[in-house]
Amino acid sequence: MPFTASKADERVLGGLIRGIGAGTHVHAYLFEGEAGLPTKETALCFAAALLCEGAGEPPCGICRSCIQSAGGNHPDLQSLSLSDITSKKSVGADEIRAVISDVYTKPFQSEKKVYIIEDGDALTPQAQNAMLKILEEPPAYAVFIICVTNAELILPTVRSRSRIIRFAPKSDVQMMQYVQNTYPHMLDKADFILSFSAGVTGKADLLCTHDEVWGLRQKAFDALAGLLAGTDEEMVFSVGALFEENKAKKDAPYDGTQLLLEFMLSAVSDLLRLSSGIETGVANSDLRDGMRALLARTSRARLDYAAQCLLRAKQMLSRYVSQKAAVLWLAVSIFYGN
């Protein structure tokens, strides 16, 4: 398939491209997939296919439109993301109205005009309502692609006017092939990459392209071990400082808070496995010695409770509880136990 360097989901993209040839494509799509799945990459490739001027199966990769799409400067392709908005919190009605005002201008070069909204989860209800008129009566040349992690967060009136395209995680076999082909130098860490990524290529990309993330994993394990040991109350404040130091920052490639929690959950899962005498399937195999030493100082009950606390902390943060409050609750709860 052309654009082989792309990280698009080829299964999804193939179906969409067949729809172009069959004339069954629609004016609005919701690309639904959890964070890290290639919804945005696939949207860009699909947009290139819609705008392609070459012969044969689009995107050809060599025509003027494909070159412009790949370079991010096609006059009939627009992308809107939170990074384009100063507030960095939501996509409001004013931003959507600006897009809509452009829709009624006919394509400059191609037969289509494509609009990609990269952070559909951030669309306010007012912004979604502002889109309704254009989705109800779109110009024949207009195509909207909205990327979301959960289509249920989109108003039913918008969902009903869109075709929902769902992205699924890759299997372990597919992920291993992905790592072998893309990051062969990381194969010695493949066990953890496959376990942590859970079929999401974006997570594998993060682990394989940011060396500092592995240091963060070690810090997460050390913090967890200190809390489970329950011998030094200063550890509660040290964990708070660790999370504060690595909290999400504007334009950062990852959210350190979420990574720390996920690394801790991964370690607890391995500790529970080892405490049950199960030696296989340990993701953090390189930390096995440290985990065995920790098992000698803690109990199965404390491990179970720590896992529950970590899951609850993730839920608290997803409900916009302040990070400091959630992390303090987490550290105190694990340190003092149930």
Side-chain angles (χ1 to χ4, degrees), residues 119-155:
D119 300 294
D121 294 333
L123 285 166
T124 65
Q126 295 81 3
Q128 295 180 52
N129 281 320
M131 291 186 68
L132 279 179
K133 180 174 175 56
I134 197 70
L135 293 181
E136 289 170 347
E137 300 177 2
Y141 50 77
V143 178
F144 290 87
I145 306 171
I146 306 171
C147 300
V148 296
T149 59
N150 184 355
E152 294 299 316
L153 298 175
I154 300 299
L155 294 175

Side-chain angles (χ1 to χ4, degrees), residues 44 64-79:
L44 288 168
R64 174 183 59 170
S65 281
C66 282
I67 293 172
Q68 290 173 324
S69 295
N73 55 10
H74 196 293
D76 297 319
L77 172 58
Q78 290 192 28
S79 182

Side-chain angles (χ1 to χ4, degrees), residues 3 6 8 12-20 24-26 28-29 31 39-52 58-59 69 77 114 116 143-145 163 165:
F3 282 23
S6 163
V12 171
L13 185 60
L16 292 167
I17 288 174
R18 288 192 292 274
I20 296 175
T24 58
H25 59 284
V26 296
Y29 294 85
F31 281 15
T39 52
K40 298 173 185 179
E41 294 85 351
T42 306
L44 288 168
C45 282
F46 180 43
L50 288 165
L51 299 169
C52 179
S69 295
L77 172 58
V114 184
I116 300 174
V143 178
F144 290 87
I145 306 171
R163 179 176 294 172
I165 306 295

Side-chain angles (χ1 to χ4, degrees), residues 1 6-19 31-33 37-39 42 45-46 57 164-171 174 199:
M1 179 179 291
S6 163
K7 296 185 179 187
D9 186 313
E10 292 192 2
R11 178 190 62 83
V12 171
L13 185 60
L16 292 167
I17 288 174
R18 288 192 292 274
F31 281 15
E32 180 189 48
L37 288 176
T39 52
T42 306
C45 282
F46 180 43
E57 182 181 280
I164 300 176
I165 306 295
R166 292 185 170 88
F167 289 67
K170 293 181 180 293
S171 67
Q174 290 173 320

